[in-house]
Amino acid sequence: MYGKYQQFLQNELASIEQAGLFKRERNIASPQSAEITLEDGSKALNFCANNYLGLADNPRLIKAAQDVMATRGYGMSSVRFICGTQDIHKQLEKAISDYFHTEDTILYAACFDANGGVFEPLFTAEDAIISDSLNHASIIDGVRLCKAVRYRYANADMADLERCLQEAQAQRYRIIVTDGVFSMDGNVAPMDKICDLAEKYDALVMVDESHSAGVVGATGHGVAEQYGCYGRIDIHTGTLGKAFGGAVGGFTTGRKEIIDMLRQRSRPYLFSNSIPPMIAAAALETFKILDESNELHDKLQANVDYFREKMVAAGFDIKPTQSAICAVMLYDAPLSQKFAAKIAEEGIFVTGFYYPVVPKGQARIRVQLSAAHEQAHLDKAIAAFIKVGKELGVIK
Ligand SMILES: *Cc1c(COP(=O)(O)O)cnc(C)c1O
């Protein structure tokens, strides 16, 4: 039985390989950090993790995770509503609500689940979902699971969003959905303008803060802080897997009745396990750290500014990032792969992206800055960029 299907898969895999799109993993044998050790003992500087605040190996988070296992155990062996809720899960939901200035929060095993479980319980075929064309795969999948009428607007294009809103007046309720920070260009969704249009055309607003929370805004509290939109965004989704410690876990936070309804009807919440106590405890410690001082966010911001300034001075073409994502434009797909491979030989890990992940002719190297980076790490990466850039004729 398997033979013919095996042949089919082998052919498919070979064509992925031929297209240069085959994904390979790097086996790390150290904690996730600015400097990592690989399985073969070699070291590298990591500029492709979502470890924005450098918390992935933070001793306070590790200790919180270890300590809680003595009092709350290892796993919950249950979904939330049956017997999977501890005091610390409720405390974490409260901490997230406080952080985003929202009314209530519901935890998920991942933000992928938060997005997968947010639309179907709230909207029907009578309603409209208006989605940015560059939204994350999990939003796209979540929208697919819902019967609402779909509209798509060009990335952060307010005229196109307005067109969608006008067309969507045909539906009962409307919701605008956007990523807070778009992961390929590092640009921030213009939340103030989105909220203005939502008011004008009677729509709800949802933002996925996965790449923006902990990063954008004067103290890193996300897009509502950055654009002064507190109280105007109905739903935020986010992850505990990026700035907030980097382990795993997701959440939806926002209006009380929306969260109440998700607790009744959201399928990934009803039919998938609770996050384990160690994650809840470490995440609580994360929000405590962020509440105590803005040091990590300040350092991240200083690192982003430093890196961008030096790279522009060296002659690189950098997208005008507003986040911790810095796109070094190369435009040519094979060049982006060659560049990523050569700079890896210099001990710098970055990711080369090209079509179909980004538009044709828009190939690039994506650099992700972190509060874990010290200036020496940044200087080493910049020197490697300059060396490889000259070798490959990208800069003079
Ligand atoms: C990373 C990411 C997710 C998925 O988060 P997980 O918690 O890892 O599932 C969802 N949305 C956006 C915009 C992301 O960047």
Side-chain angles (χ1 to χ4, degrees), residues 109-260:
C111 187
F112 209 105
D113 289 330
N115 287 331
V118 71
F119 301 106
E120 186 261 348
L122 298 176
F123 302 104
T124 72
E126 288 182 79
D127 305 317
I129 300 172
I130 305 166
S131 182
D132 189 290
S133 61
L134 291 190
N135 278 344
H136 190 262
S138 55
I139 294 178
I140 295 168
D141 285 8
V143 171
R144 279 184 188 146
L145 293 171
C146 172
K147 294 201 166 59
V149 180
R150 299 163 202 175
Y151 296 86
R152 216 170 83 117
Y153 62 97
N155 177 233
D157 181 332
M158 293 300 99
D160 205 27
L161 171 58
E162 185 157 20
R163 170 192 63 81
C164 290
L165 283 161
Q166 285 164 352
E167 288 175 24
Q169 294 304 306
Q171 277 75 48
R172 180 183 58 169
Y173 301 121
R174 288 152 289 284
I175 184 164
I176 304 166
V177 185
T178 182
D179 279 11
V181 163
F182 295 93
S183 65
M184 288 301 142
D185 287 2
N187 57 316
V188 185
M191 276 333 286
D192 50 347
K193 298 199 180 77
I194 289 173
C195 290
D196 289 347
L197 284 173
E199 251 161 53
K200 183 170 173 194
Y201 291 97
D202 193 18
L204 299 166
V205 176
M206 168 177 151
V207 58
D208 179 338
E209 298 255 25
S210 290
H211 283 288
S212 50
V215 176
V216 309
T219 60
H221 285 236
V223 292
E225 181 183 40
Q226 169 142 352
Y227 286 103
C229 292
Y230 284 120
R232 301 181 79 194
I233 298 169
D234 303 286
I235 302 172
H236 306 248
T237 58
T239 182
L240 302 174
K242 290 184 174 119
F244 297 148
V248 74
F251 56 85
T252 300
T253 188
R255 308 273 187 209
K256 176 185 179 299
E257 297 77 8
I258 290 175
I259 305 303
D260 285 347

